[in-house]
Amino acid sequence: MSTGSFDLYGEVARPVTLTVADLRRGWEQHRAEVVFDCATGGARHHTFEGPLLREVVSGTRPGFDPARRKDRSRFLLAVSGGDGHHTVLSWAEIDADFGDAPMLLATRMDDADLDEAGAQLVVPSDRCGARYVSAVRRIWVGTCRPPAGGEA
């Protein structure tokens, strides 16, 4: 995998490797003004541009029945960055019928292209940037299965 590209895989019909340039060409670009208020660094203001995460992932055809809300709500996304940072999101957070959060796979940050650095996961609704993942390398999509042995 080259610098600036990432794999989108898991329980999807069409796994794919994408670059920042692919994200810029293949989907509508959205803009988000973000303020991360972190305990150690204070408020940080950034502007991001990129496609919505749900639109990019939907293109791989995740293994749920789109007409069944409960089927969609079982799915998770695990996003890993080049520095080892990772986070887990639920499909329900980004689904238009549930949380409808406009999470981005940023292709630009503060008017600078991210082609070399790689796409960045941006969660504009988060007060702190802990779920912000830079240099995205992998996005896994799959179901959450309940642990064995528990009562329903």
Side-chain angles (χ1 to χ4, degrees), residues 13-62:
R14 296 189 319 226
V16 66
T17 299
L18 295 169
T19 65
V20 171
D22 294 332
L23 293 174
R24 198 174 291 116
R25 282 190 305 264
W27 291 271
E28 178 183 350
Q29 303 296 291
H30 298 264
R31 187 174 176 90
E33 303 284 333
V34 176
V35 178
F36 295 128
D37 190 11
C38 297
T40 58
R44 297 178 186 217
H45 299 260
H46 296 288
T47 302
F48 293 95
E49 295 175 49
L52 293 174
L53 174 63
R54 79 168 162 253
E55 291 176 359
V56 175
V57 175
S58 291
T60 66
R61 294 189 13 232

Side-chain angles (χ1 to χ4, degrees), residues 70-109:
K70 286 186 179 181
D71 198 29
R72 295 187 317 237
S73 70
R74 303 179 299 119
F75 273 68
L76 301 174
L77 297 94
V79 183
S80 302
D83 62 358
H85 181 68
H86 60 274
T87 195
V88 176
L89 309 166
S90 72
W91 181 266
E93 287 179 87
I94 63 174
D95 191 290
D97 285 341
F98 294 101
D100 198 20
M103 296 182 197
L104 301 179
L105 284 172
T107 61
R108 293 176 55 82
M109 179 175 134

Side-chain angles (χ1 to χ4, degrees), residues 3-5 20 106-107 114-120 134-137:
T3 302
S5 67
V20 171
T107 61
L114 295 172
D115 294 83
E116 289 300 314
Q120 297 188 10
S134 57
V136 171
R137 293 292 177 257

